Amino acid sequence: MEMQNRPQRQMHDVSAMNITCTECGTQIKELPFEPNKRQDGTYGRLYCYDCNKKRRPAFRGGFGR
Ligand SMILES: [Zn+2]
């Protein structure tokens, strides 16, 4: 799989699903992917935009652009 720049990330509106961030408990209104409900009725661990950003290590050195 090649890493390519995605032109635009499609956000899924999940505000009606009452999903909260595993980390801070904030209600998540949008996700870059469609969450799948598991057998136990939860969506697994999901993080809000801010926590997602915090969890991902920032790229240092900057390859490419
Ligand atoms: Zn959060």
Side-chain angles (χ1 to χ4, degrees):
M1 270 294 201
E2 290 180 57
M3 297 281 280
Q4 290 185 348
N5 283 339
R6 292 180 194 179
Q8 204 171 5
R9 197 182 287 184
Q10 193 188 345
M11 298 298 284
H12 293 268
D13 184 357
V14 297
S15 55
M17 297 184 192
N18 268 320
I19 300 173
T20 52
C21 172
T22 302
E23 185 86 12
C24 69
T26 303
Q27 187 182 357
I28 301 172
K29 293 177 179 168
E30 286 184 327
L31 283 173
F33 56 89
E34 198 163 6
N36 293 312
K37 206 166 203 174
R38 298 154 139 203
Q39 285 184 332
D40 61 2
T42 70
Y43 292 96
R45 286 164 172 261
L46 291 171
Y47 298 90
C48 67
Y49 180 77
D50 283 339
C51 292
N52 229 340
K53 222 164 52 172
K54 270 186 265 176
R55 288 167 52 81
R56 289 194 167 205
F59 282 110
R60 288 167 187 262
F63 288 103
R65 34 192 89 214

